[in-house]
Amino acid sequence: MESLRKLLAQDEPLIIAGPCSAETETQVLETARQIATNKKVKLFRAGVWKPRTRPNNFEGNGEMALPWLQKVKAETGLPTTVEVANAEHVDLALKYGVDVLWIGARSVVNPFSVQEIADALRGVDIPVMIKNPVTPDMELWVGAIERIAHAGISDIVAIHRGFSSFDKTQYRNQPKWSMPIEFRRRMPDVPMICDPSHIAGNTLLLFHVAQTALNLDMKGLMIETHINPREALSDARQQITPEELSQMLATLVYTKIAASESEANILESLRERIDKVDRHLIEILAERMDAVKKIGEFKRDNQVTVLQMGRWNEIVNNRIWLGKSLGLQEETVKKFLDLLHIESIQLQQGVVNGTAREE
Ligand code: PEP
Ligand code: MN
């Protein structure tokens, strides 16, 4: 197949679709046939070894399912991808001519597993997609990518699939969008796609998550698709039919990074405004921190506590009220104040304890 990077460099996002699990030959082939009628889809996914959080759930058909994927490719022309979690999986996937491998979120948390996969891949030329770890740990994600890259794999793609959390939210896995953005800042050469199915966990939220990912310039989507989602042996709530997939792909707005020349000029002048405001914001921040420092010196000299809850409450209430009168959301103002407060407390602790860093 064409390299994944090449597919990702095209204008249209890379669409990967297929069932969570390869359940039966008929289910795999029928799903693939229907998916293949949509030319936007470029890669067929199916889980053959399923990492299940709890035992006694369907754990995949293993090697038996790999010839079904060969049939998918022979019949529809779609290249295929499966999840691998150990060296044996890698060897079998290569033996049966799987085109792209992916490493799942539960494996990425374990450097032993990732290293085992990396060692099995040494000297092999195959694209590898690496999901974020289940926990929002940037270093684990970066580390997994480095391990696979050090094994000599050059075609590496990151998949954002959200993060599990103790708190129950509307998402199955919270997207925490700032994290994939920070990842891309740190690893600018690794293209990123999104798996909205595992973020949403249900079909209602799927479209919204997929559109948000495209708006954030993610280069593709992996969408779990099944001929009969309700009967699926895994992830039944989040899978859609091939027909629903086509509707979704036709409805998504494919935002582009580069605007036309006239659009670019408008964007440029709007950005000039942001640049100017940011400059003010930074100058004002410096002024505020200077005032915080002076107060810190006063507190040190007069042995007054750094944290003054009464004053903090007064600031929060007053600033939220002010923000509201200017059309700002309470949550936005509160987050901003929290950030300022943490920095201010830290600075004053430094002044009072005599360990202040020189700004
Ligand atoms: C999957 O893609 O079916 C899967 C198990 O995903 P994740 O590793 O993101 O949980
Ligand atoms: Mn799944």
Short mmCIF file of all heavy atoms in Angstrom, two decimals, residues 20 45 50 172 198 224 234-235 238, ligand 2:
data_model
loop_
_atom_site.label_atom_id
_atom_site.label_comp_id
_atom_site.label_asym_id
_atom_site.label_seq_id
_atom_site.Cartn_x
_atom_site.Cartn_y
_atom_site.Cartn_z
N CYS A 20 -15.07 -3.00 15.60
CA CYS A 20 -14.20 -3.09 16.77
C CYS A 20 -13.48 -4.44 16.71
O CYS A 20 -12.27 -4.51 16.75
CB CYS A 20 -15.05 -2.97 18.04
SG CYS A 20 -14.09 -3.11 19.54
N ARG A 45 -10.12 -1.46 9.38
CA ARG A 45 -9.65 -1.89 10.69
C ARG A 45 -10.49 -3.06 11.21
O ARG A 45 -11.68 -3.19 10.86
CB ARG A 45 -9.72 -0.76 11.72
CG ARG A 45 -11.12 -0.30 12.08
CD ARG A 45 -11.23 0.22 13.51
NE ARG A 45 -11.37 -0.87 14.47
CZ ARG A 45 -11.05 -0.79 15.74
NH1 ARG A 45 -10.57 0.31 16.24
NH2 ARG A 45 -11.22 -1.84 16.55
N LYS A 50 -8.35 -8.82 21.30
CA LYS A 50 -9.03 -7.72 21.98
C LYS A 50 -8.59 -7.61 23.44
O LYS A 50 -8.81 -8.53 24.23
CB LYS A 50 -10.55 -7.94 21.96
CG LYS A 50 -11.17 -7.96 20.57
CD LYS A 50 -10.87 -6.72 19.76
CE LYS A 50 -11.38 -5.45 20.40
NZ LYS A 50 -10.96 -4.25 19.59
N ARG A 172 -17.02 8.41 26.96
CA ARG A 172 -16.45 7.18 27.52
C ARG A 172 -15.00 7.45 27.93
O ARG A 172 -14.53 7.02 28.97
CB ARG A 172 -16.51 6.08 26.47
CG ARG A 172 -15.86 4.79 26.93
CD ARG A 172 -16.04 3.70 25.88
NE ARG A 172 -15.33 2.51 26.26
CZ ARG A 172 -14.99 1.56 25.42
NH1 ARG A 172 -15.31 1.65 24.15
NH2 ARG A 172 -14.35 0.50 25.84
N HIS A 198 -13.92 5.71 20.37
CA HIS A 198 -13.57 5.38 21.75
C HIS A 198 -13.65 6.60 22.67
O HIS A 198 -13.75 6.45 23.88
CB HIS A 198 -12.20 4.70 21.82
CG HIS A 198 -12.26 3.30 21.29
ND1 HIS A 198 -12.09 3.02 19.96
CD2 HIS A 198 -12.52 2.11 21.90
CE1 HIS A 198 -12.25 1.71 19.78
NE2 HIS A 198 -12.50 1.14 20.93
N GLU A 224 -15.29 3.15 14.25
CA GLU A 224 -15.74 1.75 14.35
C GLU A 224 -17.08 1.57 13.64
O GLU A 224 -18.06 2.26 13.95
CB GLU A 224 -15.85 1.34 15.83
CG GLU A 224 -14.49 1.11 16.43
CD GLU A 224 -14.53 0.44 17.80
OE1 GLU A 224 -15.59 0.50 18.47
OE2 GLU A 224 -13.50 -0.12 18.20
N SER A 234 -18.28 -6.58 20.94
CA SER A 234 -17.55 -5.59 21.76
C SER A 234 -17.95 -4.19 21.28
O SER A 234 -18.26 -4.00 20.10
CB SER A 234 -16.04 -5.78 21.64
OG SER A 234 -15.61 -5.66 20.31
N ASP A 235 -17.93 -3.26 22.19
CA ASP A 235 -18.22 -1.85 21.88
C ASP A 235 -19.49 -1.64 21.04
O ASP A 235 -19.50 -0.84 20.09
CB ASP A 235 -17.01 -1.18 21.20
CG ASP A 235 -15.84 -1.03 22.18
OD1 ASP A 235 -16.04 -1.27 23.39
OD2 ASP A 235 -14.74 -0.67 21.73
N GLN A 238 -21.06 2.07 20.56
CA GLN A 238 -20.39 3.17 19.83
C GLN A 238 -20.22 2.90 18.34
O GLN A 238 -19.74 3.76 17.61
CB GLN A 238 -19.03 3.47 20.46
CG GLN A 238 -17.99 2.38 20.23
CD GLN A 238 -16.81 2.48 21.18
OE1 GLN A 238 -16.94 2.95 22.30
NE2 GLN A 238 -15.64 2.06 20.74
MN MN B 2 -13.36 -0.94 20.21
#
